[in-house]
Amino acid sequence: MSTSFDNATFRRVLGHYPTGVCVITAVEADGTPTGMVVGSFTSVSLDPPLVAFFPDRTSSSWPRIEKVGKFCVNVLAADQEALCRQFSARGADKFAGISHRHSANGSPILDGVVAWIDCNLDVVHEAGDHFIVLGRVIALEVEAPSAPLLFFQGSYGAFSVLEPSANR
């Protein structure tokens, strides 16, 4: 079935929907920490507790995390754009200079994140040029309650609360 739009139009239109920014982290069998940035993350189910994210098929980090079979979702704070860019870089030591601790499941929890969600890999589905990854939540916590980092129309920003309006 053909579409009446191109990839650029698809990105432009969907770019009008803001997304939160997360770093998915894990520790490989040899002890090397690994991580990747995702902008598409969501809660899926309360019973059982499931979350989902959508890595690109071309990601070099996702196969390493998948092999571990467990991961931590780190919800970035509005002031963590530099950390986001560091984890977005290909081929670099993404953890260089990044302070963190390990969850009970062994995955890195990055310092200063808004919240973290520790998961076991539940299932992976193919979905076009991405995967749908479901994680079964085993622990989670609000780390530093603050505004999250958002991605909107190709830029990073923060959430602000609108003042109540008498016209609403």
Side-chain angles (χ1 to χ4, degrees), residues 41-123:
F41 168 78
T42 190
S43 63
V44 175
S45 169
L46 288 173
D47 187 18
L50 297 171
V51 295
F53 67 95
F54 310 96
D56 191 299
R57 284 180 175 271
T58 64
S59 169
S60 59
S61 298
W62 166 240
R64 295 164 57 194
I65 294 169
E66 182 180 27
K67 187 175 180 180
V68 174
K70 55 188 176 180
F71 56 86
C72 187
V73 179
N74 292 266
V75 179
L76 297 187
D79 64 355
Q80 292 184 306
E81 182 179 342
L83 185 144
C84 173
R85 291 187 184 281
Q86 183 166 332
F87 274 89
S88 296
R90 290 190 177 264
D93 177 2
K94 296 178 182 187
F95 280 84
I98 303 296
S99 57
H100 64 280
R101 68 183 194 279
H102 292 266
S103 69
N105 208 20
S107 299
I109 298 172
L110 307 176
D111 287 353
V113 295
V114 173
W116 54 267
I117 302 111
D118 212 16
C119 302
N120 286 325
L121 181 61
D122 195 63
V123 67

Side-chain angles (χ1 to χ4, degrees), residues 20-24 36-41 73-76 84 87 117 149:
V21 183
C22 301
V23 173
I24 309 297
M36 64 183 289
V37 172
V38 297
S40 296
F41 168 78
V73 179
N74 292 266
V75 179
L76 297 187
C84 173
F87 274 89
I117 302 111
L149 182 63

Side-chain angles (χ1 to χ4, degrees), residues 6-24:
D6 59 13
N7 290 351
T9 301
F10 187 84
R11 282 181 184 234
R12 181 181 54 78
V13 171
L14 269 22
H16 283 75
Y17 184 74
T19 62
V21 183
C22 301
V23 173
I24 309 297

